[in-house]
Amino acid sequence: MEIALKLCTIAVYILYLMEIIDAQKPCKVPNGDAGICINISKCQPLMELSNVKYKTPHENMYFHQSYCGGNEPRKLKVCCPSKSTWDTFVPRPIIYPHSPTAVPSAMPITKSPVITQVIPQRPVVAPVPVSGTHGPRMAPEKLDDLSKNCGKQTTASNKVIGGQETGIDQYPWMALLEYAGNELACGGSLISSRFVLTAAHCIISQYGSPIFARLAEFNITSYPTDYVYYDGGGIENITVQMVRIKKTYPHPQFSRSQKINDIGLLELMENVVITIQNEDFIKAICLPERNFLPDFDALTNFTIAGWGGTANAEHSEVKQELSIPYVPWDRCRKNPDTQICAGGIKGQDSCPGDSGGPLMYEYDKKFYVVGVISYGHRKCGTEGEPAVHTNVYEYMTWIKKTMGIKLNDHRSG
C-alpha cells in the first residue's frame, strides 16, 4: 500500500513538473532571440500590441509570427521576449524578400506552385532588418468602402471546370480560417472591410473558434508569399494578409443535429488593408440584395472555391475552383427556403475543408455569395448526392443587423 501511494505521489509530481515545463517552453522570437512560450496575459509587450486597435502590417505580421500555442483566445500563447528587452521593445517581424531572386531555397519557383504530400512548417529564414517606420496606421473605414465594388475580379486566368487550381488572383474575397495550432479547417467570404461570412459549424467546431482569417492566400505551403511563373516570362506574387478575429457570431438558431441555420459572421480585429500591391488580391464579394432563387433552373451553374479535399489528398495546398449545377429542392429533400442544393456530379464536389466557403453565382458581371457551403455526403463527390448550402438571402436581415448596416426589406433570418 505504501509503495502504491509513493508511486502515485511521484506520478503527480512528474505531471506537475511537466505542466510547468510545458507552460514555459523555450522558443525563438521573430528576430531570432531567445524567448519563452507563455500566455499572452503574462507578456506585457505582446499584450500591449494585441490591444492596439489599428496595427500596421508589420505589427500584424510580428504578432502572428509570435504565436506558439493555445486553443482559444483566452489561452493564447506567444513567444515572449526577455524581460530585459521589454522597455525597448519594437515589433520587428521576419520580412520575406519580395524579389524572385531572393526567394529562400525552401520555396522553389516553378511554372506552377510546388505540390508536396506533406505540408511543411513555415520556413525559417534569416531576418531582414526592418526600418523604424512601420507605415501608416489602419484608419477606420465605412462598412461599404470595400463592398461598393464587390464581386469583381481583374484576373485574366481562364476558368477550368472540374476541380482545378485557380489563377493566383481569382476569387479575391476568399478567406482561409486558421485555428489554434495552425490548423486550417474552413473557408469564408470577405463581405466588407470588417466582416467574413462563413458557416456556423466552422465557428463552433472541433478546433474551437477560428483565430485568424487569411486573406490573399493561394498556396498554403509557401507562407507568407507565393510566386508563380507563367509561360513567356511573366511572374506574379501575392503575400497573405493575416487578420486576427475579434468576435464570432454563429447564428443563434444554428442546430448541428438538425443541420439548419448553418451560417455565421466573423468580425475582424481591424479593417482590411487595401494597398496598390494587393488591390487585385483582396476584394469583397457581393451579398444578394434580391432573391435569386426563382432564377435558378436545371441550366444554372454555381462556382465554389477553396482548399478542401481533392481526389489525391485530404486538403489541397493550392486554391481550387469548381463549377457545380443547381439541384431543385424536391430532388434534394432539404428545406426549400433556407437551403440550396448543388452538385451531385461524380468526382466534382465540395469536400471537408471547403465548409464555410461561398456558393458563388455570377450575375451581370459580378459574383454574389448566394450560399454558404454547409454539409454533404460523407464521401464527397458521390454521384447523385448534392451538397447543401445555406441560402444567404434568407438571412440578410440577421446579417445586416449583426454588421450594423441600415436594414432594407429582407427576410427576417
Side-chain angles (χ1 to χ4, degrees):
M1 185 68 178
E2 287 185 20
I3 295 175
L5 285 173
K6 287 181 178 179
L7 289 173
C8 185
T9 302
I10 292 171
V12 170
Y13 181 67
I14 291 173
L15 287 173
Y16 173 72
L17 289 177
M18 289 177 65
E19 284 185 6
I20 293 177
I21 293 170
D22 184 63
Q24 296 190 345
K25 285 183 178 179
C27 57
K28 285 189 177 183
V29 297
N31 69 1
D33 292 341
I36 298 294
C37 182
I38 58 175
N39 189 285
I40 190 172
S41 64
K42 298 178 182 178
C43 182
Q44 179 185 323
L46 270 296
M47 192 65 188
E48 290 177 351
L49 181 60
S50 174
N51 291 330
V52 173
K53 189 172 183 181
Y54 301 113
K55 300 180 185 66
T56 67
H58 282 168
E59 288 170 338
N60 257 330
M61 187 179 292
Y62 183 93
F63 190 82
H64 179 71
Q65 291 175 354
S66 298
Y67 171 81
C68 61
N71 296 321
E72 55 188 73
R74 290 183 179 180
K75 297 181 180 179
L76 182 70
K77 291 183 179 181
V78 293
C79 189
C80 190
S82 170
K83 282 189 177 182
S84 63
T85 66
W86 285 10
D87 291 339
T88 57
F89 173 77
V90 177
R92 299 183 186 278
I94 295 175
I95 304 298
Y96 293 79
H98 287 253
S99 167
T101 59
V103 176
S105 58
M107 294 158 43
I109 301 173
T110 62
K111 291 185 179 180
S112 59
V114 178
I115 304 297
T116 57
Q117 290 299 316
V118 180
I119 298 176
Q121 296 296 314
R122 291 170 181 158
V124 178
V125 299
V128 177
V130 182
S131 66
T133 301
H134 298 303
R137 294 276 177 189
M138 302 178 201
E141 297 180 63
K142 295 179 182 178
L143 276 174
D144 62 349
D145 278 355
L146 187 59
S147 57
K148 61 185 177 183
N149 293 315
C150 66
K152 296 179 180 179
Q153 55 181 6
T154 56
T155 181
S157 304
N158 292 321
K159 183 175 172 183
V160 181
I161 307 301
Q164 301 298 317
E165 67 184 54
T166 69
I168 194 171
D169 56 351
Q170 276 187 287
Y171 316 117
W173 40 81
M174 292 296 301
L176 180 59
L177 306 186
E178 182 170 326
Y179 298 76
N182 305 126
E183 189 70 41
L184 304 174
C186 272
S189 312
L190 188 67
I191 55 174
S192 80
S193 59
R194 200 79 174 201
F195 283 89
V196 169
L197 182 69
T198 188
H201 81 262
C202 290
I203 297 173
I204 307 171
S205 76
Q206 61 178 314
Y207 306 107
S209 294
I211 298 174
F212 293 97
R214 290 190 180 193
L215 303 175
E217 180 62 280
F218 177 65
N219 186 341
I220 63 175
T221 69
S222 53
Y223 176 90
T225 302
D226 301 320
Y227 293 91
V228 177
Y229 265 8
Y230 293 103
D231 292 335
I235 184 172
E236 282 190 288
N237 68 80
I238 181 173
T239 298
V240 65
Q241 185 175 139
M242 306 292 303
V243 187
R244 188 169 178 80
I245 295 167
K246 178 182 180 181
K247 193 170 182 180
T248 60
Y249 300 89
H251 193 279
Q253 273 78 55
F254 165 61
S255 172
R256 187 183 298 273
S257 59
Q258 298 181 54
K259 299 180 179 179
I260 57 173
N261 304 314
D262 191 11
I263 192 169
L265 288 169
L266 306 174
E267 182 180 2
L268 305 177
M269 188 70 77
E270 53 257 326
N271 290 355
V272 173
V273 180
I274 303 298
T275 66
I276 294 175
Q277 289 74 26
N278 70 16
E279 64 182 351
D280 290 338
F281 302 110
I282 300 180
K283 294 181 181 180
I285 191 171
C286 299
L287 288 167
E289 294 294 336
R290 72 174 182 86
N291 187 7
F292 285 108
L293 196 57
D295 298 350
F296 302 156
D297 57 30
L299 299 178
T300 300
N301 282 287
F302 305 108
T303 302
I304 56 175
W307 294 263
T310 66
N312 301 315
E314 185 177 347
H315 288 87
S316 171
E317 297 170 352
V318 177
K319 184 166 58 177
Q320 303 275 310
E321 66 177 348
L322 178 67
S323 181
I324 56 176
Y326 169 69
V327 176
W329 70 270
D330 56 340
R331 287 175 48 199
C332 189
R333 298 180 183 177
K334 304 302 176 187
N335 190 311
D337 294 323
T338 62
Q339 294 173 325
I340 299 174
C341 292
I345 305 299
K346 186 176 181 180
Q348 299 183 11
D349 198 1
S350 55
C351 288
D354 292 320
S355 291
L359 181 70
M360 296 178 274
Y361 178 61
E362 191 172 8
Y363 175 79
D364 197 21
K365 298 181 180 179
K366 284 187 175 184
F367 280 94
Y368 290 82
V369 54
V370 295
V372 172
I373 298 174
S374 180
Y375 68 94
H377 194 274
R378 181 170 297 181
K379 185 178 180 181
C380 57
T382 299
E383 188 170 6
E385 295 289 343
V388 178
H389 309 77
T390 304
N391 184 354
V392 174
Y393 179 78
E394 295 298 322
Y395 297 87
M396 282 297 292
T397 297
W398 174 79
I399 290 171
K400 291 196 168 191
K401 183 178 179 181
T402 304
M403 293 173 66
I405 303 176
K406 183 178 178 181
L407 297 178
N408 291 320
D409 182 21
H410 291 295
R411 299 295 179 89
S412 61

